[in-house]
């Protein structure tokens, strides 16, 4: 019979080994570890469960984004790229108004990729003038499409593509 590791005796016995860059609420992580101890879960099982949950959440989010983008593409048709650029222009305008606090918050939670947010920003872009959007226009006005990552690097964080 194979040796089975003993259950974790305290939350300190559990290292969940989050992938680099993963943002974790330390209070929630502590509650999770405490619950694992209460249930008699081994440190290895706790880590496996945490990583399984992380993947489930990421997969569900990716599917929602895929479905939402497909819906926007079907409704916007050939105007999808131009409308998305106008939405990113609205984000730039709002970020400037907020002294650079909005774009990093959007980037941290992936909001600039959310089709509902893109649609809302596009709607906002149609309510303000082209000048206010820093050159982006709902019709595309000579701007070339760029990914959200390119937009954030170039327009928001002042880097190069």
């Amino acid at each position: 019979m194979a040796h089975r590791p003993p259950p974790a005796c305290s939350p300190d016995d559990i290292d969940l080994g989050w992938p680099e860059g993963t943002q974790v609420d330390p209070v929630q992580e502590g509650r999770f570890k405490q619950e694992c101890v209460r249930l008699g879960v081994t440190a290895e099982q706790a880590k496996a469960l945490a990583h399984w949950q992380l993947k489930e959440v990421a997969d569900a989010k990716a599917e929602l984004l895929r479905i939402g983008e497909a819906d926007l593409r079907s409704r916007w048709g050939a105007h999808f790229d131009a409308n998305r650029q106008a939405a990113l222009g609205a984000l730039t305008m709002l970020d400037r108004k907020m002294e650079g606090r909005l774009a990093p918050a959007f980037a941290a939670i992936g909001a600039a990729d959310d089709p509902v947010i893109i649609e809302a920003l596009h709607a906002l872009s149609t309510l303000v003038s082209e000048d206010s959007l820093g050159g982006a226009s709902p019709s595309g006005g000579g701007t070339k499409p760029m990914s959200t990552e390119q937009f954030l690097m170039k327009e928001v964080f002042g880097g190069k593509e």
Side-chain angles (χ1 to χ4, degrees):
M1 190 162 129
H3 179 276
R4 184 175 172 177
C9 294
S10 86
D12 293 335
D13 295 340
I14 300 171
D15 176 11
L16 298 176
W18 298 113
E20 188 174 326
T22 303
Q23 295 181 358
V24 177
D25 176 354
V27 173
Q28 188 176 25
E29 180 182 35
R31 288 193 314 258
F32 175 79
K33 289 179 177 183
Q34 188 60 48
E35 188 64 8
C36 287
V37 170
R38 187 185 75 73
L39 294 171
V41 173
T42 69
E44 183 179 312
Q45 290 169 330
K47 181 177 180 177
L49 285 170
H51 286 253
W52 175 84
Q53 179 65 22
L54 189 65
K55 182 180 180 321
E56 286 294 307
V57 169
D59 289 351
K61 181 180 179 183
E63 181 65 6
L64 285 173
L65 292 178
R66 187 193 66 72
I67 290 168
E69 182 177 321
D71 176 58
L72 274 184
R73 284 185 183 278
S74 73
R75 289 188 290 117
W76 286 352
H79 300 287
F80 178 82
D81 288 331
N83 289 351
R84 188 171 173 279
Q85 285 304 109
L88 294 176
L91 176 58
T92 299
M93 181 212 37
L94 289 170
D95 187 59
R96 286 181 191 141
K97 293 275 187 197
M98 295 179 63
E99 300 175 343
R101 295 186 311 274
L102 183 61
F106 266 51
I109 61 172
D113 290 324
D114 187 309
V116 174
I117 300 295
I118 292 169
E119 186 173 11
L121 288 169
H122 174 260
L124 176 65
S125 77
T126 65
L127 300 175
V128 295
S129 72
E130 183 176 326
D131 291 340
S132 296
L133 294 175
S137 70
S139 64
T143 61
K144 68 175 185 152
M146 66 176 85
S147 70
T148 302
E149 181 179 351
Q150 290 169 323
F151 166 77
L152 290 171
M153 289 303 297
K154 183 178 178 191
E155 299 294 330
V156 178
F157 298 113
K160 298 184 193 289
E161 292 183 50

